[in-house]
Amino acid sequence: MKHASPQPFEKAFPQTNHPDLPPSAASLINNRVITVEEAEQLIADSLETLPSETVSIEDALGRVLRETLRADRNAPPFNRSTFDGIALSYAAIEQGRSAFPITGTAFAGSPRLSLDDSNACVEIMTGAPLPDQADCVVKVEDLDIVDGTARIREGTPLDRGHGVHPEASDCQAGQVLLEPGCQLTAKELSIAASIGKAELLVSQIPRISIFTTGDELVPIAAQPLPHQIRRSNDLALDSALASTGYVQTRRFHILDDLKETESVIASILEQSDIIILAGGISKGKRDFLPEALETAGVSKSFQWVAQRPGKPLWFGDYTINDRKSYVFALPGNPVSCFTCLHRYVLPALDQLCGLPARAPQYAKLKSEFQFKPPITLFLPVLIEYDANGQTWAEPLPFNTSGDYISVARTQGFIELPQNETQFVSGSAHRFRPWQT
Ligand code: AMP
Ligand code: MG
């Protein structure tokens, strides 16, 4: 197999010394080129968990729990039979008895019976309460039942407690079953249902506004003129958000016009928890977003991150009616935009909703790789799993950070740290999958 050479990356990311950062601005903290780790920390420190709300359990799938759920009673709530068969006293078997007259039938859903004669038995169904005095269930396959008497077949392995799911063996009343911060999937909802929680306290759903910018961009169904291109970032962002479970989104497109940009941003601030902007954030003459965001009163945290792709990455926050909201302005280039969404915005959304950070994934470089600029590289990779349980990442060469066609073949990216230049084959690195 042909391995990726460093060459295409040098072409894709020419080695420069941050030429687009004016030296005069470098001293200002929020105009500084910060590291990926600093950016991550600034975002994490700024985020406040969304308010909670009470919803019906029927509407709670995928939501993040914000209360502690405890068992309302023991589970199981009684000694329950795990077989269809007979319930008896094991002491009778120890005394050598193998034939038991049947004195009654215990059904699931019927009150508990009593085994008054320790030399008799009660017919019992799976899920029924074990009769008082009984401590063993023999399954129907191990019995011959003739004329109201059950005979246990020779050689049937039995013991005290056989066929019994003892009361409280799964959990005791009052025990914590689910903690705040857990995402409610089918498994968790079945627990909530079993303890009678018809309503659940969960995080509100984040309201997300997606803006794309650019005079050159036309709708998907339009026939572009030679100098125009079709919009793709907005749908890509929306789809990645939806497949992560963030579905409350709205999309807007703004032309490269300062007045329009300002008025659209002002109109949307109050109804958004997160605003994601794409394009118009760098140093171009029609990159109006930094100015428009400032006019709108969004407080900038940082604008430049030492990373490729995605150096122009603007983050800030604002508060309206005591509710804090956040703005991520991502570079317009499709690969940069998509990478920054995965690296920063999706984890931020998780944190906003009260979810703990997802367990990190790692992959080993399949081939040696060099990257000289002192910045973090987000390198798209093809993933392979070998029979030894190892995950291998093969770097995929691509043309520029606008080359979304090559990147579509990859499964995600690995993060190569900024303080190294030579990455040996077999070295392990943090891997982040694309949301599919
Ligand atoms: P900008 O960050 O506005 O300078 O845009 C950088 C590049 O990304 C330009 O070539 C844009 O045409 C492209 N771009 C920006 N937004 C989108 C979009 N929504 N869909 C596809 N390409 C875009
Ligand atoms: Mg633009």
Side-chain angles (χ1 to χ4, degrees):
M1 187 177 294
K2 190 174 173 294
H3 290 152
S5 79
Q7 183 51 36
F9 282 86
E10 300 306 316
K11 196 172 129 215
F13 305 121
Q15 296 179 28
T16 59
N17 231 347
H18 313 311
D20 39 4
L21 182 72
S24 59
S27 58
L28 295 171
I29 182 107
N30 61 4
N31 272 336
R32 192 161 65 80
V33 180
I34 63 173
T35 64
V36 166
E37 292 72 24
E38 282 176 291
E40 192 172 37
Q41 196 61 51
L42 284 166
I43 295 168
D45 290 347
S46 165
L47 297 172
E48 289 172 7
T49 313
L50 284 171
S52 52
E53 63 183 353
T54 300
V55 297
S56 156
I57 190 171
E58 300 289 341
D59 300 323
L61 179 64
R63 305 291 290 272
V64 180
L65 188 66
R66 291 288 286 279
E67 61 177 320
T68 301
L69 298 195
R70 294 176 181 274
D72 62 331
R73 54 187 191 149
N74 292 336
F78 47 80
N79 292 328
R80 64 179 277 277
S81 173
T82 61
F83 305 131
D84 296 323
I86 55 167
L88 44 73
S89 162
Y90 187 69
I93 293 178
E94 283 180 320
Q95 286 157 17
R97 184 170 290 276
S98 62
F100 296 83
I102 298 169
T103 59
T105 304
F107 290 101
S110 295
R112 181 163 53 203
L113 300 180
S114 183
L115 180 67
D116 296 327
D117 177 355
S118 63
N119 290 329
C121 72
V122 165
E123 256 187 324
I124 193 162
M125 308 300 136
T126 304
L130 199 73
D132 285 340
Q133 325 301 337
D135 57 4
C136 175
V137 175
V138 185
K139 61 174 122 161
V140 76
E141 294 88 328
D142 295 327
L143 299 171
D144 292 305
I145 300 179
V146 180
D147 294 336
T149 295
R151 280 177 199 285
I152 302 173
R153 292 191 182 149
E154 225 169 284
T156 301
L158 292 173
D159 211 341
R160 184 167 279 109
H162 185 81
V164 181
H165 185 186
E167 176 176 347
S169 60
D170 295 349
C171 83
Q172 307 236 330
Q175 195 174 317
V176 172
L177 301 181
L178 295 175
E179 309 245 24
C182 96
Q183 190 151 31
L184 296 167
T185 68
K187 296 179 281 126
E188 289 76 21
L189 288 175
S190 85
I191 292 175
S194 75
I195 60 168
K197 287 288 294 183
E199 292 189 324
L200 293 161
L201 189 70
V202 296
S203 292
Q204 288 183 4
I205 296 176
R207 300 160 304 163
I208 304 170
S209 301
I210 301 170
F211 286 89
T212 49
T213 68
D215 288 344
E216 75 281 25
L217 298 161
V218 297
I220 300 164
Q223 185 55 50
L225 296 170
H227 53 277
Q228 294 178 323
I229 57 171
R230 292 193 184 92
R231 294 208 301 266
S232 58
N233 280 350
D234 27 0
L235 182 65
L237 291 171
D238 209 359
S239 304
L241 287 163
S243 50
T244 317
Y246 296 110
V247 291
Q248 195 164 312
T249 58
R250 294 191 293 177
R251 288 193 241 156
F252 307 83
H253 183 72
I254 329 177
L255 295 175
D256 291 324
D257 175 88
L258 180 58
K259 286 277 159 281
E260 185 187 338
T261 308
E262 283 176 346
S263 84
V264 176
I265 287 181
S267 70
I268 201 70
L269 288 178
E270 202 171 335
Q271 301 122 45
S272 311
D273 294 308
I274 284 217
I275 297 179
I276 304 172
L277 299 140
I281 198 64
S282 192
K283 294 262 164 208
K285 284 197 166 162
R286 288 188 177 167
D287 285 349
F288 293 124
L289 279 182
E291 190 181 339
L293 288 167
E294 199 178 314
T295 307
V298 183
S299 159
K300 177 165 101 174
S301 174
F302 60 82
Q303 186 173 359
W304 309 101
V305 183
Q307 62 188 11
R308 280 187 194 165
K311 180 178 172 188
L313 170 67
W314 198 107
F315 172 72
D317 57 49
Y318 61 93
T319 301
I320 295 182
N321 301 334
D322 284 339
R323 185 155 172 154
K324 201 171 174 190
S325 299
Y326 309 89
V327 176
F328 288 88
L330 316 179
N333 265 314
V335 179
S336 315
C337 181
F338 204 56
T339 304
C340 287
L341 178 88
H342 285 76
R343 182 62 183 81
Y344 299 103
V345 186
L346 295 179
L349 277 163
D350 285 354
Q351 189 184 330
L352 262 193
C353 292
L355 277 173
R358 296 182 190 223
Q361 297 181 38
Y362 295 88
K364 290 184 169 177
L365 258 182
K366 188 152 184 212
S367 49
E368 181 193 34
F369 193 81
Q370 288 177 38
F371 185 69
K372 295 215 181 86
I375 56 180
T376 301
L377 177 66
F378 302 131
L379 178 60
V381 289
L382 301 163
I383 288 291
E384 289 171 31
Y385 304 98
D386 73 15
N388 298 318
Q390 309 252 34
T391 305
W392 294 95
E394 184 178 355
L396 184 88
F398 63 99
N399 278 327
T400 69
S401 47
D403 181 8
Y404 51 90
I405 293 167
S406 299
V407 169
R409 290 175 48 215
T410 62
Q411 286 81 41
F413 60 92
I414 54 169
E415 188 165 326
L416 300 181
Q418 72 166 41
N419 52 358
E420 292 170 45
T421 55
Q422 201 75 27
F423 302 94
V424 296
S425 164
S427 55
H429 301 280
R430 180 83 188 256
F431 168 70
R432 289 174 200 267
W434 304 127
Q435 287 302 322
T436 50

